[in-house]
Amino acid sequence: QVQLVESGGGLVQPGGSLRLSCAASGFTFSSYDMYWYRQVSGKEREFVARITSGGGTNYADSVKGRFTIARDNAKNTIYLQINSLKPEDTAIYYCKSNIWRNDYWGQGTQVTVSS
């Protein structure tokens, strides 16, 4: 079955950096677009970034220039490099795949930006 496991979150000071990972299994990873979303408690989950099966990328306006999504098809893993972190980036970060019109989500990884 499809499994997505995020890692790499933590507590970081404003201006710092983190690299999140999402390890995927149970499907032909290289054939599918992959996504990062984030959710603040009490708010809706919001789109952060997308990487297509061919390596094309899209970003939310709020993260352009600071976040970079990447994939390693040999490791069935996507990454989210987050630089110049701001307190408003504090959220649970989730990866997502969409396979045959079904969304699959990981359990999320918490990112907290605070001094």
Side-chain angles (χ1 to χ4, degrees):
Q1 71 277 22
V2 174
Q3 285 194 321
L4 301 171
V5 180
E6 300 94 336
S7 61
L11 173 63
V12 63
Q13 292 186 343
S17 298
L18 280 175
R19 188 176 81 154
L20 309 183
S21 301
C22 172
S25 61
F27 63 103
T28 307
F29 176 80
S30 59
S31 297
Y32 292 92
D33 298 356
M34 295 293 296
Y35 305 79
W36 284 102
Y37 281 71
R38 65 186 181 185
Q39 187 169 23
V40 176
S41 179
K43 295 188 176 181
E44 290 190 0
R45 200 168 292 188
E46 66 172 2
F47 167 78
V48 172
R50 168 194 180 214
I51 186 164
T52 70
S53 57
T57 58
N58 303 96
Y59 297 92
D61 287 344
S62 59
V63 307
K64 280 181 183 176
R66 298 189 299 120
F67 289 22
T68 303
I69 188 171
R71 67 189 300 157
D72 184 337
N73 289 337
K75 295 183 178 180
N76 284 5
T77 300
I78 61 167
Y79 304 96
L80 188 68
Q81 178 68 42
I82 310 175
N83 297 327
S84 302
L85 276 158
K86 304 175 181 180
E88 53 263 42
D89 295 319
T90 295
I92 300 174
Y93 284 72
Y94 298 90
C95 66
K96 187 193 86 168
S97 61
N98 181 273
I99 302 168
W100 293 104
R101 302 180 186 176
N102 292 311
D103 285 341
Y104 296 88
W105 298 90
Q107 83 289 349
T109 186
Q110 175 73 49
V111 172
T112 302
V113 184
S114 175
S115 55

